């Protein structure tokens, strides 16, 4: 299955807004139950759920059931959600957002937030990792989770890592405490 997102209202003459699930072999749309009113900017998936970041009305991150497209939850931000990535595996898996926001739900988070892929809520546990990209108003534009590392790219000059500040222009890497996902990818032709 191929997922596409963006600022569109039609795919192959079908009324499909901003998000579509496509069978690339048969070149047809899969049924998808939920569509957003906002432009999709980023995707991540874990084999069971699809996570999408968007802009519009501030911004949002949403979770969909991968097999049906049913919306599970939506969390609102006060700016675009430009990137989403999953880090870790199993019960320790976390969803990492990057973008142009300073709040996720009711929680203050500057350009980066860690949320639960199950509930969509910000991780508020004692000692939770919550760095802040700083030095610019624009924020994070790309991220990659690989093993136990997460890489961020964007318009920032430093990171507030609570406690402390690390000067880091435009590209940064952090180690995570989440268990690494060592599952090899499945490739089918």
């Amino acid at each position: 299955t191929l997922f596409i997102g963006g600022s569109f209202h039609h795919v192959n003459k079908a009324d499909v807004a901003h998000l579509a699930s496509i069978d690339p072999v048969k070149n047809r749309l899969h049924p998808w139950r939920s569509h957003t009113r906002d432009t999709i900017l980023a995707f991540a998936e874990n084999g069971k759920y699809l996570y999408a970041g968007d802009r519009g009305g501030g911004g949002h991150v949403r979770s969909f059931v991968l097999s049906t497209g049913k919306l599970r939850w939506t969390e609102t931000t006060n700016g675009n959600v430009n990137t989403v990535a999953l880090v870790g595996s199993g019960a320790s898996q976390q969803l990492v957002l990057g973008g142009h926001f300073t709040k996720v739900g009711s929680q203050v988070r500057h350009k980066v937030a860690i949320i639960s892929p199950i509930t969509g809520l910000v991780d508020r546990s004692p000692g939770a990792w919550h760095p802040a990209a700083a030095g610019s108003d624009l924020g994070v534009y790309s991220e990659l989770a690989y093993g136990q590392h997460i890489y961020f790219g964007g318009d920032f000059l430093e990171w507030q890592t609570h406690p402390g500040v690390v000067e880091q222009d435009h590209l940064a890497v952090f180690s995570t405490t989440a268990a690494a996902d060592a599952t090899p990818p499945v490739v089918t032709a």
Side-chain angles (χ1 to χ4, degrees), residues 15-68:
D15 289 333
V16 177
H18 306 293
L19 172 62
S21 173
I22 299 173
D23 180 333
V25 175
K26 296 179 181 176
N27 194 29
R28 65 183 176 110
L29 290 171
H30 286 294
W32 194 258
R33 291 179 51 189
S34 304
H35 294 277
T36 71
R37 294 184 307 253
D38 303 306
T39 300
I40 300 293
L41 301 174
F43 288 123
E45 63 90 12
N46 65 5
K48 191 170 182 182
Y49 303 111
L50 178 72
Y51 303 94
D54 68 38
R55 70 175 188 210
H60 309 89
V61 62
R62 303 173 200 273
S63 175
F64 301 91
V65 176
L66 200 58
S67 60
T68 64

Side-chain angles (χ1 to χ4, degrees), residues 107-120:
Q107 301 300 307
V108 173
R109 293 293 186 270
H110 292 274
K111 317 306 191 249
V112 173
I114 311 295
I115 69 172
S116 165
I118 303 301
T119 66

Side-chain angles (χ1 to χ4, degrees), residues 39-109:
T39 300
I40 300 293
L41 301 174
F43 288 123
E45 63 90 12
N46 65 5
K48 191 170 182 182
Y49 303 111
L50 178 72
Y51 303 94
D54 68 38
R55 70 175 188 210
H60 309 89
V61 62
R62 303 173 200 273
S63 175
F64 301 91
V65 176
L66 200 58
S67 60
T68 64
K70 181 181 178 188
L71 181 66
R72 293 176 57 228
W73 53 256
T74 299
E75 183 61 275
T76 301
T77 64
N78 66 347
N80 296 351
V81 177
N82 297 329
T83 67
V84 293
L86 288 159
V87 64
S89 63
S92 67
Q93 191 170 60
Q94 298 173 315
L95 187 62
V96 182
L97 315 179
H100 177 73
F101 53 79
T102 57
K103 285 183 86 174
V104 177
S106 62
Q107 301 300 307
V108 173
R109 293 293 186 270

Side-chain angles (χ1 to χ4, degrees), residues 40 67 90 92 97 133 144 150 156 170-171:
I40 300 293
S67 60
S92 67
L97 315 179
L144 170 70
I150 188 148
F156 49 81
H170 309 294
L171 181 64

